[in-house]
Amino acid sequence: MKLKEISREELFRSSYGCAGCAAVLAVRLTLKVLGRNCVCVVPANCISTVSCYYPQTPFFVPMTVMAFAATGAALSGISAGFRRRGREDISVVGFSGDGGTADIGIQSLSGAIDGGYKFIYICYDNEAYMNTGIQRSGLTPYGATTTTTPAPCFETESKKDMLRIVAAHDIPYAATACTSYPLDFMQKVARANRVNGPTYIHVLAPCPTGWGFAPDRAIELGRMAVESGFWRLVELENGKLRTTHKPSRRRSVAEYFAAQTRFRQLSPEQIEEIQRNIDRRQAAGQAFSATG
Amino acid sequence: MKKSIPGPVSRAGNIPTRMGSWSTIKPVLKGKCNFCLLCWIFCPEGAISQDEGHRQVLFNNEECKGCGICVRECPTGAIEMAEPEQGERP
Ligand SMILES: Cc1ncc(C[n+]2csc(CCOP(=O)(O)OP(=O)(O)O)c2C)c(N)n1
Ligand code: SF4
Ligand code: SF4
Ligand code: SF4
């Protein structure tokens, strides 16, 4: 896949999202791969909030807003309907936030993967319930402040390893990605789209509003997350885990943390501890190395 | 089984959002654009288009929110943020 070969059609554009929102970018890039022949399911989250101002919408493909907990169920149901009508060529894609995936929607996601229908579940991970005002979620990393874990306190649980959770369902295809690596991400969406079964892509989407950085640094932040080993770009196909991109440059997690305000209250010792955990997890080859 | 929905499912009957009024500063090409398309792929709003003839990018002020990502990601430093002239404002 090359930049020049990518579709120029914009099927999600100029939304009500904050300036510099990588979650919005994730949706735009996904629809560039899937094209017009797709149907989107979006539960309560930033994407549905920035898209539904009747009569306007940034979506140029059909989308439905779903109950917070029901993304997986809606994806299976729509996909089952298309299968019944012999229209398995239509892609059915869900865009769920981290809270909608790892907390409230997890049973429906689990049931949907078990059900075996063809769909792409995209979890865009901005590491908190951003839409309602930055509350911590099961995917908020250790050490981050949110409005429910305010400074001088911070989140004391580590990120749920969603990839291992979906892998435990023997899912045919799952991957992690980051909006700062658009070709890697889009390739994964294309691969997922070719699978005739449930697929899951977990894309890290830096959020200027919730993480505390200037909008123009959204791409840089994602790059720092990968280069510091905080986030890994991997792919799981039929049970085999493969690293799709190894950063050529290594940064310290301290550098990544310093670029945003949500880790400000951590002491150098605490950051060192997090770095040790990341190094340990990386050595053990675990999918997510976000803290311990 | 019979096919009951013809062609692609989308008929695109929506009224698009145009959030350009959120920002008073807009990107402008000041330096040499080598048409690498990095700014194009990274723009969250889809506000950049490709001018194949002149091998450079175009900015749509009506859709651009002025986030500055294109400025920061351009490898040649060709883009600058500027306040458009009165008549050019969205
Ligand atoms: C059952 C239910 N509980 C609570 C809400 C309120 N609510 C709407 S969006 C949202 C946060 C979504 O967070 P996340 O899934 O992480 O997506 P993000 O906002 O970060 O994009 C909440 C709590 C709701 N709509 N439905
Ligand atoms: S709060 Fe974050 S994720 Fe939500 S629209 Fe703003 S930048 Fe995007
Ligand atoms: S400033 Fe932001 S929204 Fe405007 S063209 Fe550049 S990247 Fe796109
Ligand atoms: S990033 Fe810079 S050089 Fe590349 S296409 Fe955009 S303006 Fe041109």
Side-chain angles (χ1 to χ4, degrees):
Chain A
M1 199 182 268
K2 285 195 186 101
L3 281 176
K4 298 235 165 25
E5 294 160 6
I6 290 166
S7 163
R8 297 189 195 178
E9 195 172 27
E10 302 293 350
L11 296 172
F12 185 81
R13 60 190 226 218
S14 204
S15 73
Y16 277 71
C18 313
C21 173
V24 162
L25 177 58
V27 178
R28 172 180 169 250
L29 295 177
T30 305
L31 294 185
K32 272 193 182 295
V33 178
L34 301 181
R36 281 186 184 263
N37 205 26
C38 86
V39 169
C40 307
V41 174
V42 189
N45 59 30
C46 276
I47 294 303
S48 56
T49 308
V50 305
S51 305
C52 301
Y53 288 82
Y54 182 81
Q56 289 176 302
T57 172
F59 274 101
F60 284 74
V61 292
M63 73 83 94
T64 178
V65 176
M66 196 32 64
F68 208 172
T71 317
L75 289 172
S76 308
I78 294 171
S79 180
F82 283 145
R83 185 187 287 185
R84 181 76 182 79
R85 286 171 174 229
R87 287 304 303 268
E88 275 155 310
D89 58 305
I90 300 169
S91 313
V92 184
V93 58
F95 296 104
S96 183
D98 47 290
T101 301
D103 302 338
I104 191 162
I106 198 165
Q107 58 84 15
S108 149
L109 170 61
S110 171
I113 301 174
D114 205 27
Y117 285 101
K118 172 185 157 78
F119 62 81
I120 307 173
Y121 188 111
I122 294 187
C123 166
Y124 67 89
D125 187 2
N126 50 25
E127 304 195 317
Y129 290 78
M130 291 306 175
N131 168 51
T132 37
I134 323 172
Q135 294 85 12
R136 61 85 54 192
S137 79
L139 290 178
T140 303
Y142 177 92
T145 48
T146 62
T147 49
T148 44
T149 54
C153 305
F154 53 79
E155 169 65 15
T156 52
E157 304 300 325
S158 57
K159 243 172 130 67
K160 274 191 204 178
D161 195 338
M162 278 306 297
L163 202 69
R164 277 200 290 161
I165 293 174
V166 297
H169 292 71
D170 283 336
I171 191 165
Y173 184 85
T176 61
C178 175
T179 43
S180 305
Y181 299 82
L183 289 179
D184 177 80
F185 173 48
M186 292 167 92
Q187 240 147 24
K188 286 166 178 169
V189 175
R191 257 173 230 149
N193 198 30
R194 285 197 288 271
V195 175
N196 190 13
T199 55
Y200 175 87
I201 299 174
H202 193 131
V203 55
L204 185 73
C207 162
T209 310
W211 296 12
F213 62 85
D216 64 330
R217 301 191 70 184
I219 308 301
E220 201 184 342
L221 260 282
R223 218 177 275 134
M224 287 171 110
V226 172
E227 286 173 353
S228 66
F230 191 91
W231 190 251
R232 282 177 61 196
L233 304 178
V234 298
E235 179 175 72
L236 185 82
E237 210 165 0
N238 300 319
K240 276 210 179 66
L241 191 76
R242 189 173 78 85
T243 302
T244 57
H245 175 84
K246 254 204 170 69
S248 47
R249 166 171 179 198
R250 257 324 277 273
R251 291 186 204 242
S252 69
V253 72
E255 201 181 330
Y256 172 54
F257 282 8
Q260 32 189 334
T261 58
R262 63 179 174 151
F263 293 107
R264 226 171 7 194
Q265 70 299 326
L266 293 179
S267 67
E269 293 73 39
Q270 283 164 327
I271 295 177
E272 232 163 75
E273 174 76 35
I274 293 171
Q275 179 79 61
R276 270 199 297 279
N277 279 326
I278 286 178
D279 295 345
R280 183 173 52 76
R281 285 203 179 199
Q282 199 129 51
Q286 279 172 6
F288 290 166
S289 40
T291 69
Chain B
M1 260 179 260
K2 71 173 199 287
K3 294 196 176 185
S4 47
I5 314 165
V9 284
S10 166
R11 298 198 189 90
N14 68 338
I15 301 175
T17 40
R18 294 207 199 285
M19 305 312 297
S21 61
W22 276 13
S23 168
T24 53
I25 48 163
K26 303 289 175 185
V28 191
L29 262 186
K30 285 272 166 71
K32 175 82 189 96
C33 168
N34 64 18
F35 210 47
C36 69
L37 302 184
L38 281 174
C39 61
W40 171 79
I41 197 75
F42 282 130
C43 172
E45 311 305 330
I48 302 179
S49 55
Q50 303 175 23
D51 180 352
E52 194 79 58
H54 297 94
R55 291 191 66 74
Q56 64 175 36
V57 288
L58 298 169
F59 303 98
N60 180 349
N61 282 3
E62 281 188 11
E63 298 191 340
C64 161
K65 272 188 220 148
C67 66
I69 286 178
C70 52
V71 177
R72 195 176 266 272
E73 296 305 321
C74 175
T76 65
I79 316 172
E80 274 174 37
M81 283 304 220
E83 205 156 323
E85 302 292 321
Q86 202 74 44
E88 295 171 11
R89 278 192 203 146

